[in-house]
Amino acid sequence: MGSFQQLKQLTRGNALFLIIILGIGGSFQTGYHVTGLSSPSPYIQRFINSSWYDRYEELPPPQTVTMIWSLIVSMFAVGGLFGAVSVKLFSGKFGRKKTMIYNSIISIAAAGVMLASKQAKSYEMIIVARILYGFSAGLGFSTHVMYLGEIAPIKIRGAVTLTSATFGCLGKLFGQFFGLSEILGREDLWNVVLCVPAFFSLVQVLVLPFLPEAPRYLFIEKGDEKACKKALQSLWGQGDYEKEMDEMLAEQVAIDAAPPKTSLQVLRDRTVRWQLLTMFIIYWSNQLSGMSTINTFSFDIFLKAGIPRDQIRYVTLCLGVSEIITSIACGLLMIENIGRRPLFWGSYGVMGASLLFVTVTLNLKDSGEWVSYITASLFILFNIFFSVGPGGTTSTLHSELFTQSDRIAAFVLIGSQRWFVFALLGLVFPFIIDTLDSYCFVLFACICLLASLYTFFLLPETKGKTLLEISEEFQSITVCGKSFSDKRKTVTRL
């Protein structure tokens, strides 16, 4: 389906409006908090120093400041881990819509704690606020992607689910924009810049109650066919939606034969072993590709690259602009035309090559000022291909690989490992960059190249296929003549 037809279908009902409201309270929040901490980082570290001095009348050791700063960074991901684990509890009990609303209330509460931390001279309050922000981001991101996957028709499912990545990029851009010294990136406003997302959370709390619940959730989990059809018509305009209802019915039949599973049951189920392994590898590769560390520690990285301190915020803004433009282009032009698989392996390959060249230019930074700007250009190139490939396409693939009986448990498992790696990197990266210096990017480059090989040889194409067809594609994967499903023939088949 062309981009014009996609836009036309999105504007027939409330779907586009719902996508925007979900976006600003979902992945937008995660994106903002990933980059929003970069600009005020020197001010927060000075705040840690001054708070420590006010209490103990002596300056803290540099290692103590680094450790507290690492905790502030990594606690966001620890909160995200707990939020991801809570997806099944919240979305199963309250539904997708109410979960998003309650999640935004948590984000607003976190902003209140962050705002008060400066007056209270408490870096512990910053850590608490980061944990709450993380919990909200972990729960909100997974529910956001799930919600999008359950409202989208088959023909534009890729474009709809890709909007979660687009809003994530938009959040990163806003974090970089509000961090400019001309806006809120000043020492007296560092706590305010970290509270900006609460405004968007408030908008979602006020507006989302008037928009429909996910049709797939209503039909399959609630068994309410009438409400499901009403939701589809509200979202996509008047129509009978027989194809969508038939797909849900086929999935319902499969679920009746195989009821919803726990996370442990999904781990033991050989019929979804390849799907889980694929998403684990992709999410590990995304985190270990260096993208999250570049976003979070961009100020420190560009400072080491030789970019003048007063120009770093503008370079990071260029990163954000390139990412959002690329993400939108991917959604409108690429994902439904090129397919998922080529975007993954091709982008991982270019990302790996870019980071290898970054290692070279970082070691040559003393050769001249121009080398620093080549390094910045390579990071922008890396950023563009991350947005074209894994950054944008992962959320689409995530929503396509699991049927309703496996989906929530899979989201819990994959979300947990995603946030665990994020937390680990946030905690150790400040020490890694001090120890390995520029050579830390060689590690990231190797991860990208291995991910390129895996997705090239083992990832099936999912474009235009139903969830059951995709499941069968994965079950047919063999390595050295063997498949995960070979050893257990009694498993319920979809």
Side-chain angles (χ1 to χ4, degrees):
M1 180 180 285
S3 57
F4 176 76
Q5 285 80 7
Q6 291 177 19
L7 287 171
K8 185 177 179 180
Q9 186 164 357
L10 282 170
T11 54
R12 285 175 58 194
N14 295 318
L16 183 59
F17 188 50
L18 176 59
I19 288 168
I20 292 170
I21 296 301
L22 288 177
I24 62 174
S27 58
F28 175 91
Q29 305 276 326
T30 305
Y32 189 98
H33 290 300
V34 166
T35 60
L37 200 64
S38 175
S39 177
S41 61
Y43 308 140
I44 294 173
Q45 291 177 59
R46 281 204 286 270
F47 174 76
I48 295 169
N49 267 300
S50 63
S51 299
W52 186 283
Y53 185 82
D54 289 342
R55 293 181 195 181
Y56 307 111
E57 297 184 349
E58 63 178 9
L59 290 174
Q63 296 88 344
T64 302
V65 176
T66 302
M67 178 55 71
I68 294 172
W69 170 241
S70 295
L71 283 173
I72 289 172
V73 173
S74 62
M75 285 301 105
F76 175 72
V78 171
L81 176 61
F82 284 105
V85 170
S86 304
V87 170
K88 184 174 183 180
L89 173 66
F90 278 83
S91 63
K93 185 175 183 180
F94 301 113
R96 313 319 185 220
K97 184 166 75 170
K98 286 184 179 178
T99 296
M100 291 298 291
I101 294 170
Y102 296 152
N103 183 67
S104 288
I105 293 172
I106 295 171
S107 176
I108 294 169
V113 176
M114 181 65 76
L115 205 59
S117 63
K118 185 179 178 183
Q119 188 67 31
K121 296 182 179 180
S122 171
Y123 50 78
E124 294 90 348
M125 289 179 71
I126 302 177
I127 294 172
V128 171
R130 290 283 291 174
I131 292 171
L132 290 174
Y133 275 142
F135 183 89
S136 174
L139 177 60
F141 180 83
S142 294
T143 309
H144 180 198
V145 175
M146 193 186 308
Y147 206 147
L148 290 174
E150 293 181 0
I151 68 172
I154 296 172
K155 289 184 178 179
I156 59 170
R157 185 174 59 211
V160 170
T161 52
L162 184 65
T163 59
S164 65
T166 302
F167 276 97
C169 297
L170 191 63
K172 292 178 185 178
L173 179 61
F174 270 60
Q176 292 154 346
F177 175 75
F178 282 103
L180 294 175
S181 57
E182 295 85 351
I183 313 297
L184 296 175
R186 301 190 296 276
E187 188 157 11
D188 58 325
L189 294 174
W190 64 260
N191 59 330
V192 177
V193 76
L194 296 176
C195 295
V196 169
F199 168 77
F200 297 96
S201 296
L202 180 61
V203 172
Q204 187 180 76
V205 169
L206 295 175
V207 175
L208 192 55
F210 302 99
L211 294 169
E213 177 61 274
R216 189 178 292 272
Y217 167 77
L218 292 171
F219 186 90
I220 296 177
E221 296 193 27
K222 290 298 182 182
D224 194 338
E225 184 176 345
K226 186 176 179 181
C228 170
K229 193 165 187 178
K230 183 179 178 181
L232 282 169
Q233 291 174 338
S234 173
L235 287 167
W236 305 106
Q238 293 301 311
D240 55 19
Y241 297 99
E242 286 186 14
K243 188 174 182 180
E244 284 73 20
M245 299 287 282
D246 287 344
E247 186 205 352
M248 292 182 208
L249 184 61
E251 194 172 337
Q252 179 68 64
V253 171
I255 290 170
D256 289 340
K261 302 182 183 76
T262 65
S263 297
L264 187 59
Q265 287 173 326
V266 169
L267 280 173
R268 290 173 173 172
D269 188 352
R270 293 179 179 275
T271 62
V272 294
R273 190 70 53 83
W274 274 115
Q275 291 95 310
L276 276 178
L277 181 62
T278 296
M279 292 312 304
F280 280 153
I281 288 173
I282 287 174
Y283 271 115
W284 270 89
S285 300
N286 289 355
Q287 295 296 330
L288 296 177
S289 69
M291 188 64 202
S292 59
T293 52
I294 290 168
N295 283 323
T296 306
F297 300 100
S298 58
F299 191 91
D300 300 319
I301 290 170
F302 287 127
L303 197 62
K304 278 189 174 289
I307 303 293
R309 185 181 289 267
D310 60 338
Q311 295 180 25
I312 289 176
R313 290 182 176 88
Y314 301 100
V315 175
T316 57
L317 189 63
C318 287
L319 284 176
V321 170
S322 66
E323 192 170 356
I324 187 68
I325 291 173
T326 309
S327 180
I328 293 171
C330 181
L332 293 177
L333 304 174
M334 298 181 189
I335 193 165
E336 295 297 355
N337 295 318
I338 298 175
R340 287 55 156 163
R341 182 171 163 270
L343 291 176
F344 271 111
W345 68 260
S347 296
Y348 276 131
V350 176
M351 288 161 59
S354 300
L355 291 179
L356 289 175
F357 283 115
V358 162
T359 306
V360 174
T361 57
L362 285 174
N363 282 286
L364 296 175
K365 66 180 180 181
D366 296 330
S367 302
E369 188 178 342
W370 58 273
V371 178
S372 299
Y373 292 97
I374 290 178
T375 304
S377 300
L378 287 168
F379 277 123
I380 291 172
L381 181 67
F382 172 89
N383 205 50
I384 288 172
F385 276 90
F386 180 84
S387 302
V388 166
T393 317
T394 298
S395 55
T396 298
L397 191 69
H398 193 165
S399 66
E400 292 177 329
L401 297 196
F402 302 98
T403 58
Q404 199 80 7
S405 61
D406 301 322
R407 185 172 294 124
I408 294 181
F411 268 79
V412 170
L413 290 169
I414 295 165
S416 300
Q417 67 94 32
R418 173 179 181 264
W419 287 101
F420 172 76
V421 179
F422 194 8
L424 188 63
L425 276 176
L427 189 62
V428 304
F429 188 75
F431 301 98
I432 290 175
I433 197 170
D434 285 339
T435 305
L436 297 179
D437 202 41
S438 60
Y439 293 100
C440 64
F441 293 104
V442 175
L443 171 65
F444 297 146
C446 291
I447 296 294
C448 290
L449 295 174
L450 288 172
S452 178
L453 291 173
Y454 179 86
T455 51
F456 180 80
F457 288 108
L458 291 173
L459 178 65
E461 181 55 69
T462 62
K463 183 183 74 171
K465 296 175 183 175
T466 68
L467 301 181
L468 299 179
E469 288 171 344
I470 294 167
S471 179
E472 290 170 359
E473 287 263 357
F474 273 96
Q475 288 186 53
S476 67
I477 294 176
T478 58
V479 176
C480 299
K482 294 183 179 181
S483 169
F484 279 133
S485 58
D486 284 347
K487 295 183 180 179
R488 193 170 291 181
K489 299 294 186 179
T490 58
V491 182
T492 302
R493 293 181 180 176
L494 299 176

